[in-house]
């Protein structure tokens, strides 16, 4: 209980979040007050400076004398500064301290100016403003003005009582408070989005890692299937976090890090979350790209901040996804990047500085281990390299069971058959397949997901949805039908091929006008024989062979088939050593093992040209075999094509029924295997007689001892019998 409570608290301690909010609010008010005072002071100073440059201050008594003498035409009340602005009458003469006389005159455009004579004797105009400090109340001044005789004095602005100083200050403070509040919200949003800020504002240098506790991840090993070897390797780390004593007693140290390597979609991130969920420790998750910024040094600062925060809540797990973003090899072949190299150097330094007694474990994931720096991969930093590979048959069945845990399945659903059809798929593919099957069941108005939905979802993933509005001509339909039946016939008549599952000539969205689906009946490993690879190439050539033999033409519909066949043949020559010309010579090597599986050539250009010729030899041989199969089974193809043109889709079992002369409509199991029974080949071991012990001759029977003359008598020649193969081999 204590451990869970501690883990659920934030690093700042109990109530740390509330205290931080109050401190932020107080800082916000202080900044607003400071800015309001500075701006008000600056505004007052600028106003006074402007008034000193063009205004004339007179005493209040002089103002009263001008009123009594009729020299004032208008009075304005400036309520902000409690002063009176005085407008003299035309002809009023003002003499300054230097003896210059200014005469107020109304110009032709209606404006007023003060004319004076400069040193050159020229007449110039100036702008002056007369003001005085108000010593009497507003009512007394108004009463005094109205009591005057003669021309009335105009009051341009009525008096308004001044606002309370406190209220005035709050009014001036409000705009600055709103501005700073908006800026703070924007900066916090930028920091949360990983956008950094301006010049260090907004969280630049701070870690963007999201802290997940065990209750928040909600993922355990029960949610991860098909990766038993990886879970076994990580279980020891979890046990180390729970029971470190039994390991330290023997002198063992906690592994500092584990690198999860595998293709995309195999569940590396999910497995890391499951480790945190099983260990019941805090889980720091951050992507490698979050460390890289435009400012040099920011990434290194974030690495320091991340490990500093992790050490506060140890034991914990730090997970860096896509570590190849910052962990690339530090060579200068592709150009340097100071920010990325500094970040990597800081990461290496932090991993060296781990305290093994605290229990901070670093997990990282990548699908490009070949580009990582060797200093990052050495023991002491990443002590373990765990491969999260594509699941095998048992793994795919377990993965489907996990993803169908909350799906209502029908009684006819066979997950093993679905797992066989999805050879090479990863966990993300299987999750998508199950979801598509559930969506299809809803579209069809069913309450349960059937086997048909599962297989249709698989076809949706590989071929897309049907193009219901696409219309083919009769010639095009016939051409597509012979093309697809050509694939199926070659696959059915050959050995070492996968059984035919389905043939369709319905166009689909992913560019195919039809397809032939082959489904294995057993889980094949990565091991393939030369015969199996050649059979695969021959099946790919079956479509083009049918076009030429039957329709006497060629189309671009075989482009993907040709590309697939060429890739297999090129791998056979360049990497598998299955060429008679090159033999056991590797001409290429893998570059991206877990991504596209591509390879780079490791031979001279002349050798590469010869390799192309060897590839063509394999392709020509496979195409010749496909043409022979099509010619030998032309009658059967015509029957299957006629049925396919009528139904547009047929299964492998229906195709076999047509070939064998049975009614395809009476097939009980349309998805039954199309694999033909092949004669059993007697293994060579049955013909080999190995003797490990000395064999003694048996004792003669008693009857033989009683008749010695019979043994000496010559026996009649037996009838001629055909010699056995073994005797022929021993006595040629």
């Amino acid at each position: 209980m204590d451990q869970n409570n501690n883990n659920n608290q934030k690093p700042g301690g109990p109530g740390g979040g509330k205290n931080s909010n109050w401190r932020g609010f107080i800082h916000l008010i202080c900044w607003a007050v400071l800015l309001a005072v500075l701006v008000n002071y600056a505004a007052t100073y600028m106003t006074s400076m402007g008034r000193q440059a063009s205004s004339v201050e007179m005493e209040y008594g002089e103002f009263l004398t001008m009123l009594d003498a009729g020299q004032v035409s208008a009075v304005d009340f400036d309520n902000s500064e409690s002063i009176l602005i005085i407008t003299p009458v035309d002809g009023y003469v003002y003499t300054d301290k230097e003896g210059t006389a200014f005469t107020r005159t109304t110009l032709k455009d209606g404006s007023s100016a003060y004319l004076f004579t400069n040193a050159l004797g020229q007449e110039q105009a100036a702008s002056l403003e007369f003001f005085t400090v108000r010593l009497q109340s507003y009512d007394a001044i108004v009463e005094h003005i109205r009591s005057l005789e003669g021309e009335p004095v105009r009051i341009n602005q009525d008096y308004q009582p001044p606002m309370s100083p406190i209220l005035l200050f709050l009014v001036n403070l409000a705009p600055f408070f709103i501005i700073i509040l908006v800026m703070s919200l924007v900066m916090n949003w930028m920091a949360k989005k990983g956008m950094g800020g301006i010049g260090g504002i907004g969280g630049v240098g701070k870690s963007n890692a999201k802290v997940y506790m065990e209750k928040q991840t909600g993922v355990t090993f029960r949610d991860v299937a098909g990766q038993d070897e990886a879970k076994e390797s990580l279980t020891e780390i979890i046990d180390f976090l729970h029971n470190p004593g039994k390991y330290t007693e023997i002198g063992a140290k906690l592994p500092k890090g584990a690198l999860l390597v595998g293709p995309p979609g195999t569940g590396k991130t999910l497995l890391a979350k499951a480790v945190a969920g099983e260990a019941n420790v805090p889980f720091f998750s951050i992507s490698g790209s979050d460390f890289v910024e435009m400012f040099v040094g920011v990434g290194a600062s974030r690495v320091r901040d991340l490990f500093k925060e992790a050490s506060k809540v140890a034991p914990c797990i730090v997970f860096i996804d896509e570590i190849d973003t910052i962990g690339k090899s530090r060579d200068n072949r592709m150009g340097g990047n100071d920010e990325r190299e500094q970040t990597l150097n800081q990461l290496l330094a932090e991993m060296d500085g781990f305290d093994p007694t605290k229990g901070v474990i670093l997990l990282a994931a990548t699908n490009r281990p070949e580009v990582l720096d060797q200093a990052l991969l050495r023991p002491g930093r990443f002590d373990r390299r765990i491969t999260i590979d594509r699941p095998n048959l048992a793994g795919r069945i377990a993965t489907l069971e996990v993803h169908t845990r909350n799906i209502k399945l029908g009684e006819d659903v066979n997950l093993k058959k679905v797992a066989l059809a999805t050879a090479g798929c990863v966990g993300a593919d299987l999750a998508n397949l199950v979801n598509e099957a559930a969506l299809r069941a809803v579209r069809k108005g069913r309450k349960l997901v059937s086997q048909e939905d599962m297989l249709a979802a698989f076809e949706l993933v590989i071929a897309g949805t049907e193009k219901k509005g696409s219309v083919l001509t009769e010639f095009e339909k016939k051409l597509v039908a012979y093309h697809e039946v050509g694939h199926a016939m070659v696959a059915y008549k050959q050995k070492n091929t996968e059984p035919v599952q389905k043939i369709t000539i319905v166009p689909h969205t992913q560019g195919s006008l039809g397809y032939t689906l082959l489904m294995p009946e057993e889980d094949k490993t990565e091991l393939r024989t030369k015969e199996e690879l050649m059979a695969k190439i021959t099946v790919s050539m079956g479509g083009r062979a049918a076009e030429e033999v039957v329709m006497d033409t060629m189309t671009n519909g075989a482009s993907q088939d040709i590309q697939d066949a060429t890739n297999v043949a090129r791998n056979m020559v360049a990497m598998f050593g299955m060429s008679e010309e090159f033999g056991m010579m590797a001409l290429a090597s893998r570059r991206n093992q877990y991504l596209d599986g591509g390879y780079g050539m490791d031979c001279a250009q002349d050798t590469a040209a010869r390799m192309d010729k060897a590839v063509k030899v394999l392709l020509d041989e496979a195409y010749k075999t496909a043409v022979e199969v099509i010619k030998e089974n032309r009658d059967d193809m015509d029957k299957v094509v006629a049925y396919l043109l009528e139904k547009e889709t047929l299964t492998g079992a229906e195709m076999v029924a047509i070939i064998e002369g049975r009614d395809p409509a009476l097939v009980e199991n349309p998805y039954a295997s199309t694999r033909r029974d092949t004669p059993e080949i007697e293994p060579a071991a049955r013909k080999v007689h190995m003797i490990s012990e000395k064999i003694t001759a048996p004792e003669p029977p008693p009857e033989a001892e009683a008749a010695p003359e019979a043994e000496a008598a010559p026996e009649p020649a037996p009838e001629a019998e055909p010699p056995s193969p073994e005797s022929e081999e021993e006595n040629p």
Side-chain angles (χ1 to χ4, degrees), residues 29-50:
I29 294 178
C30 292
W31 277 107
V33 170
L34 178 61
L35 288 178
V37 171
L38 292 177
V39 171
N40 286 335
Y41 176 78
T44 304
Y45 178 77
M46 295 298 296
T47 302
S48 62
M49 290 296 294

Side-chain angles (χ1 to χ4, degrees), residues 496-544:
N496 303 310
T497 59
E498 297 174 349
V500 179
Q501 178 73 15
K502 183 179 180 180
I503 310 171
T504 181
I505 57 173
V506 178
H508 286 70
T509 55
Q510 293 187 5
S512 61
L513 299 177
Y515 65 88
T516 301
L517 178 62
L518 305 180
M519 185 178 295
E521 290 186 335
E522 57 185 358
D523 187 33
K524 296 291 292 184
T525 62
E526 294 298 327
L527 186 63
R528 293 288 189 275
T529 63
K530 182 178 180 180
E531 291 75 15
E532 290 175 341
L533 295 175
M534 288 299 298
K536 185 175 182 180
I537 298 175
T538 307
V539 172
S540 298
M541 294 294 186
R544 170 58 64 82

Side-chain angles (χ1 to χ4, degrees), residues 176 310 558:
F176 300 100

Side-chain angles (χ1 to χ4, degrees), residues 49 65 69 84 170 261 343 430 444 490 645 661 668 690 728:
M49 290 296 294
T65 302
L84 300 175
L170 293 178
V261 177
T343 305
L430 299 176
K444 297 294 183 179
V490 173
L645 289 174
E668 296 181 358
M690 298 186 65
E728 288 183 355

Side-chain angles (χ1 to χ4, degrees), residues 24-75:
F25 185 73
I26 293 173
H27 290 165
L28 184 65
I29 294 178
C30 292
W31 277 107
V33 170
L34 178 61
L35 288 178
V37 171
L38 292 177
V39 171
N40 286 335
Y41 176 78
T44 304
Y45 178 77
M46 295 298 296
T47 302
S48 62
M49 290 296 294
R51 176 162 289 142
Q52 290 177 8
S54 61
S55 301
V56 178
E57 183 179 4
M58 62 176 58
E59 295 181 357
Y60 189 74
E62 186 178 355
F63 162 66
L64 295 179
T65 302
M66 291 177 62
L67 278 176
D68 296 337
Q71 295 178 337
V72 178
S73 66
V75 177

